[in-house]
Amino acid sequence: MEIKSIINTVRRSVMQALTQDIGRTDSNIINGPAKNIRRILICRPNQRLGNLLLITPLLQEVTATYPRCKIDLFVKGNLAPEILRNYNNIDNIIQLPKKPFTQPFRYLKSWLLIRQKNYDLAINVDKKSSSGRLSVKFAHARFKFFGDSLSESLALLYFDCKHMAKAPVYDFRFAITQENILDLTDKVPYLDLKLDLSELSNGLRILRKIVPEGKKVISLFTYATGDKCHSAQWWEEFYEKVRLNFFDYTIVEILPFENVSKIGFKALTFYSRNIREIGSVIANTSIFIGADSGIMHLASAAKVPVIGLFNVTDPLKYGPYNGNSIAIETYDNDIEDIIEILDTILRHRLQKK
């Protein structure tokens, strides 16, 4: 492990230990129905694409609960304004710099901005986020929600309470219910990039420049960070079997920002640094296949069926979440198993829709 990774791991552990009790004794912690909620602060000080997309179910849930509300977001980095551009009730996005030590004054200013308004409700998305807990503690709000109203023992009763898109929604529902009763009968909203018709049409135009009109497309994303990334040998074998078994489909590889390919650029490719454009292209394909990554969650948010490939991370926590997706642990399933699942989705499930 690199020195930087070790330092970050130690830093996170120390900060979590120092902040884990924040909110436990607050007198204005949310507990039951909250009325007259107009201004809301949602805190997710993280810059990763996947983590920002995973808050979209909570944004939809909060908006459905308080339709007239205006939401401010406290995040990190520059991705959130682009990802959430079509969420009309978002008022301000307060952005921490990705590298606070190189921009200390901007970092401090961002923290001070959350003190300048009086909110009716402040919400921390991830209960394990030290910065998230601190920001809710720091904010002026009538009610505060630190993300841990749902006890771990209760959460264990429901297998999907662990998922990073669903957990904050369940916590929110539990916190604002009259008797603090968790009701799982209502579906948690899916991830949603809220692509509009012009974006979807543009994605189709881009795709048709790569693939002839009328050809169905399987999109692949062969990249992932660290141990989540499968080997080039694995991907090349997988690509060849997909190509041979689904010859009536054209395979298009979605390239990462790094512009690398685990299959040696053997397939047709699409490259862009525009997140919404990438999402609009994927949305026009039949299915997306890729390892656990931000682009996998982008495909979910673009509402395309997703096969998420997992080898180290927990699919119950990070699996693709929309109506027609599945997470597969590749250490328990060989490539033939995945091909069979892909066949079921393409030739049976999707054709019945």
Side-chain angles (χ1 to χ4, degrees), residues 120-163:
D120 296 307
L121 174 61
I123 300 173
N124 172 41
V125 174
D126 181 5
K127 67 180 180 180
K128 293 185 178 180
S129 168
S130 304
S131 297
R133 299 183 75 89
L134 282 170
S135 55
V136 169
K137 178 74 173 178
F138 191 55
H140 289 301
R142 288 195 297 125
F143 299 102
K144 295 187 177 184
F145 170 47
F146 290 89
D148 51 10
S149 61
L150 186 63
S151 67
E152 292 187 10
S153 58
L154 184 57
L156 288 173
L157 297 175
Y158 306 98
F159 76 95
D160 64 344
C161 280
K162 189 177 181 181
H163 196 280

Side-chain angles (χ1 to χ4, degrees), residues 112 121 217 235 275:
L112 293 175
L121 174 61
V217 177
W235 271 113
I275 288 297

Side-chain angles (χ1 to χ4, degrees), residues 69-89:
C69 73
K70 288 293 184 182
I71 297 173
D72 285 358
L73 292 178
F74 184 60
V75 297
K76 194 174 184 181
N78 300 317
L79 282 177
E82 189 69 8
I83 294 169
L84 305 172
R85 187 173 71 194
N86 289 342
Y87 279 79
N88 296 327
N89 62 326

Side-chain angles (χ1 to χ4, degrees), residues 82-83 85-86 193-206 274-281 283-284:
E82 189 69 8
I83 294 169
R85 187 173 71 194
N86 289 342
L193 190 59
K194 289 189 178 291
L195 293 165
D196 58 36
L197 289 176
S198 64
E199 290 177 307
L200 290 169
S201 297
N202 183 55
L204 182 58
R205 283 195 297 271
I206 293 170
N274 184 314
I275 288 297
R276 299 191 70 84
E277 186 175 75
I278 297 170
S280 71
V281 169
N284 283 283

Side-chain angles (χ1 to χ4, degrees), residues 251-270:
I251 300 171
V252 173
E253 183 179 9
I254 310 298
L255 297 173
F257 290 170
E258 294 80 1
N259 198 21
V260 296
S261 168
K262 288 288 183 178
I263 56 173
F265 299 95
K266 291 178 180 177
L268 297 172
T269 61
F270 168 69

Side-chain angles (χ1 to χ4, degrees), residues 28-141:
N28 57 345
I29 189 169
I30 189 170
N31 186 21
K35 297 180 179 180
N36 300 319
I37 303 297
R38 297 292 180 86
R39 297 213 60 87
I40 298 174
L41 175 68
I42 295 180
C43 300
R44 188 60 167 114
N46 188 285
Q47 77 273 18
R48 290 183 178 274
L49 172 62
N51 286 333
L52 292 172
L53 287 164
L54 287 165
I55 71 171
T56 58
L58 179 63
L59 287 172
Q60 295 169 73
E61 182 77 15
V62 169
T63 302
T65 305
Y66 305 114
R68 299 174 65 185
C69 73
K70 288 293 184 182
I71 297 173
D72 285 358
L73 292 178
F74 184 60
V75 297
K76 194 174 184 181
N78 300 317
L79 282 177
E82 189 69 8
I83 294 169
L84 305 172
R85 187 173 71 194
N86 289 342
Y87 279 79
N88 296 327
N89 62 326
I90 291 179
D91 197 8
N92 296 298
I93 299 180
I94 303 167
Q95 300 165 249
L96 290 168
K98 289 177 66 174
K99 298 180 179 180
F101 293 112
T102 63
Q103 298 176 286
F105 294 109
R106 183 184 164 196
Y107 181 80
L108 179 60
K109 180 182 178 182
S110 297
W111 275 95
L112 293 175
L113 282 173
I114 65 175
R115 292 283 289 184
Q116 290 184 0
K117 288 185 181 178
N118 292 318
Y119 294 99
D120 296 307
L121 174 61
I123 300 173
N124 172 41
V125 174
D126 181 5
K127 67 180 180 180
K128 293 185 178 180
S129 168
S130 304
S131 297
R133 299 183 75 89
L134 282 170
S135 55
V136 169
K137 178 74 173 178
F138 191 55
H140 289 301

